[in-house]
């Protein structure tokens, strides 16, 4: 059994059913997709989902960034079950049922707000080589309501039980007030609130929302592309990753008892972390490219591995080690899936 207790890790975000397929460059060009990107679906992408299913061999996986990370953390921890709690909004439909079933299978304590105005959200993962272009149609995920779900006494009790909180930046487009309620609770009770930059568009177009939450962020995650977009929007005036993490760490913070930790991944290059007054780098686990199946869940898995140790109060370098291990396992499998048990020491 791990040192973690039930419901000690809380996540809230967009539960999506991932529709994954290996596509060709023509398909990306037709819908003006970059090979490696994350965007929200617009009207012009309506046919994309239909064409993807018709033209390519698709696989369905329970997804959504935050939900993936909570699942990976739970997998890394194994016992007890239901260390991870997850909140999000789904539709009353077949895809919603699949998401519920998948969460149960991996022992995550998912409490969905179910509504019937919008169908369960989907995310097209268009894979070319070791790149993946994600197009999210939030649908139901966009309907999460603080007053209809988070504020309910039995749900808020689950929030209060947690010690570590994680919300991907993607949820900033859905319910800022829900994020702020959780973030303030964490800050006032000296618990750990973690967030992810998630995508360049979050740093660019949801900058105000992001910066309203930033003072409460104890651990900030991101990759090199997101970090560059964030630095540009914040006028950091540098492209140097170490300089960016230092400046992100120094942004104003509400809870002065903890200094912010900033962790930036760079694909196969080293991970950079700012903790206390030092900047450290950690090499990633080397993988022969021929074993890389799908890099889609790598970032979510990294966070999941990190959180699995963080919630057990392990040192930060051990958190990074677990993060690298989880990401390495995930990229050698399709979808954000994993073997029955981890082999992490």
């Amino acid at each position: 059994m791990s040192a973690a207790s039930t419901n000690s890790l809380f996540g809230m975000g967009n539960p999506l059913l991932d529709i994954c397929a290996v596509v060709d460059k023509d398909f990306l060009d037709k819908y003006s997709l970059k090979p490696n990107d994350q965007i929200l679906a617009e009207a012009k992408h309506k046919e994309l989902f239909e064409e993807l299913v018709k033209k390519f061999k698709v696989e369905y996986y329970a997804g959504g960034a935050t939900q993936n990370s909570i699942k990976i953390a739970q997998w890394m921890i194994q016992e007890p079950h239901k260390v991870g709690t997850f909140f999000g909004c789904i539709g009353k439909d077949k895809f919603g049922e699949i998401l519920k079933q998948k969460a149960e299978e991996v022992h995550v304590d998912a409490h969905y707000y179910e509504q019937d105005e919008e169908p369960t959200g989907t995310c097209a993962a268009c894979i070319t080589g070791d790149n993946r272009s994600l197009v999210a149609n939030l649908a139901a995920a966009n309907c999460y309501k603080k007053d209809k779900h988070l504020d309910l006494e039995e749900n808020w009790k689950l929030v209060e039980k947690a010690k570590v909180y994680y919300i991907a930046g993607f949820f900033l487009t859905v319910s800022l007030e829900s994020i702020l309620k959780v973030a303030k609770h964490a800050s006032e009770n000296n618990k750990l609130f973690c967030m992810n930059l998630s995508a360049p568009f979050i740093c660019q177009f949801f900058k105000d929302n992001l910066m309203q939450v930033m003072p409460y962020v104890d651990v900030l995650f991101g990759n090199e592309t997101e970090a560059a977009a964030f630095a540009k929007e914040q006028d950091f005036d540098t492209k140097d990753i170490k300089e960016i993490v230092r400046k992100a760490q120094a942004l104003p913070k509400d809870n002065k008892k903890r200094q912010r930790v900033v962790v930036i991944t760079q694909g196969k290059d080293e991970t950079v972390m700012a903790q206390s007054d030092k900047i450290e780098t950690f090499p990633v686990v080397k993988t022969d490219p021929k074993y890389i199946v799908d890099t889609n869940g790598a970032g979510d898995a990294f966070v999941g591995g990190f959180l699995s140790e963080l919630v057990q109060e392990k040192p930060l370098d051990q958190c990074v080690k677990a993060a690298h291990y989880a990401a390495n396992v995930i990229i050698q499998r399709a979808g954000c899936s994993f073997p029955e048990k981890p082999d992490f020491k």
Side-chain angles (χ1 to χ4, degrees):
M1 293 282 268
S2 78
S5 52
T6 53
N7 303 114
S8 54
L9 174 63
F10 175 85
M12 178 167 62
N14 300 330
L16 304 172
L17 193 74
D18 285 347
I19 307 172
C20 304
V22 174
V23 301
D24 49 35
K25 190 177 177 303
D26 292 348
F27 184 81
L28 295 183
D29 293 345
K30 179 175 177 180
Y31 293 103
S32 12
L33 303 176
K34 292 179 193 155
N36 211 20
D37 201 10
Q38 309 92 318
I39 62 167
L40 291 178
E42 297 167 42
K44 66 179 176 191
H45 299 115
K46 192 173 171 347
E47 278 79 47
L48 178 149
F49 289 85
E50 291 155 20
E51 187 176 337
L52 193 66
V53 174
K54 269 214 279 284
K55 199 167 160 188
F56 302 96
K57 183 178 174 294
V58 300
E59 303 273 356
Y60 294 92
Y61 299 99
T66 305
Q67 185 166 243
N68 279 344
S69 295
I70 300 297
K71 283 199 308 206
I72 298 280
Q74 180 65 54
W75 168 69
M76 289 283 285
I77 289 165
Q78 291 282 308
E79 302 274 341
H81 291 166
K82 299 191 171 181
V83 167
T85 314
F86 178 76
F87 286 6
C89 182
I90 58 175
K92 294 179 178 170
D93 50 27
K94 187 181 86 193
F95 285 175
E97 288 305 315
I98 293 173
L99 287 185
K100 283 198 280 195
Q101 178 199 330
K102 296 285 185 195
E104 208 170 302
E105 280 169 13
V106 293
H107 313 298
V108 167
D109 195 14
H111 292 257
Y112 297 114
Y113 168 47
E114 298 180 47
Q115 49 73 59
D116 46 20
E117 282 168 36
E118 285 281 346
T120 297
T122 49
C123 178
C126 311
I127 299 158
T128 50
D130 57 6
N131 285 323
R132 49 93 186 107
S133 197
L134 307 179
V135 185
N137 178 27
L138 296 183
N142 208 19
C143 301
Y144 190 84
K145 300 278 186 289
K146 175 177 162 289
D147 56 335
K148 295 263 178 34
H149 195 263
L150 186 68
D151 292 345
L152 303 184
E153 192 183 350
E154 66 272 24
N155 291 335
W156 187 251
K157 275 197 176 121
L158 289 168
V159 176
E160 291 178 325
K161 260 180 97 171
K163 296 187 296 192
V164 175
Y165 301 84
Y166 174 64
I167 300 176
F170 291 123
F171 201 58
L172 287 163
T173 75
V174 174
S175 183
L176 176 63
E177 54 177 5
S178 296
I179 300 174
L180 285 170
K181 184 174 181 180
V182 172
K184 285 174 182 171
H185 167 80
S187 184
E188 284 157 13
N189 294 278
N190 196 29
K191 298 178 186 179
L192 282 160
F193 182 80
C194 314
M195 190 152 214
N196 204 320
L197 295 173
S198 292
F201 84 85
I202 297 290
C203 305
Q204 292 158 339
F205 307 119
F206 292 88
K207 179 165 65 175
D208 294 350
N209 288 10
L210 177 62
M211 295 322 285
Q212 278 189 57
V213 181
M214 195 58 73
Y216 307 104
V217 177
D218 295 299
V219 183
L220 180 68
F221 297 102
N223 67 24
E224 74 279 34
T225 327
E226 294 147 13
F230 183 68
K232 189 172 174 229
E233 291 300 324
Q234 298 300 319
D235 299 321
F236 282 176
D237 211 19
T238 180
K239 288 183 174 161
D240 180 276
I241 288 288
K242 290 181 181 173
E243 206 45 44
I244 293 171
V245 296
R246 192 178 280 117
K247 290 192 171 193
Q249 184 189 36
L251 290 166
K253 191 163 185 304
D254 189 67
N255 177 10
K256 304 284 188 278
K257 292 185 193 134
R258 299 180 185 274
Q259 193 174 0
R260 183 178 294 119
V261 173
V262 182
V263 190
I264 301 297
T265 58
Q266 308 184 85
K268 61 183 182 304
D269 298 326
E270 60 190 19
T271 293
V272 182
M273 176 165 74
Q275 66 153 317
S276 55
D277 296 324
K278 56 183 191 284
I279 307 270
E280 294 176 90
T281 58
F282 301 84
V284 303
V285 186
K286 288 276 174 277
T287 309
D288 186 326
K290 70 169 183 266
Y291 295 119
I292 298 177
V293 175
D294 177 2
T295 56
N296 183 18
D300 299 339
F302 177 93
V303 172
F306 193 101
L307 295 172
S308 71
E309 298 292 296
L310 193 65
V311 78
Q312 298 179 72
E313 297 173 15
K314 299 279 175 67
L316 290 170
D317 56 347
Q318 179 72 2
C319 295
V320 175
K321 207 175 141 191
H324 283 163
Y325 166 80
N328 185 259
V329 169
I330 294 306
I331 61 173
Q332 296 180 57
R333 301 170 66 93
C336 198
S337 65
F338 34 82
E340 193 188 343
K341 284 193 162 53
D343 172 26
F344 176 71
K345 301 289 180 285

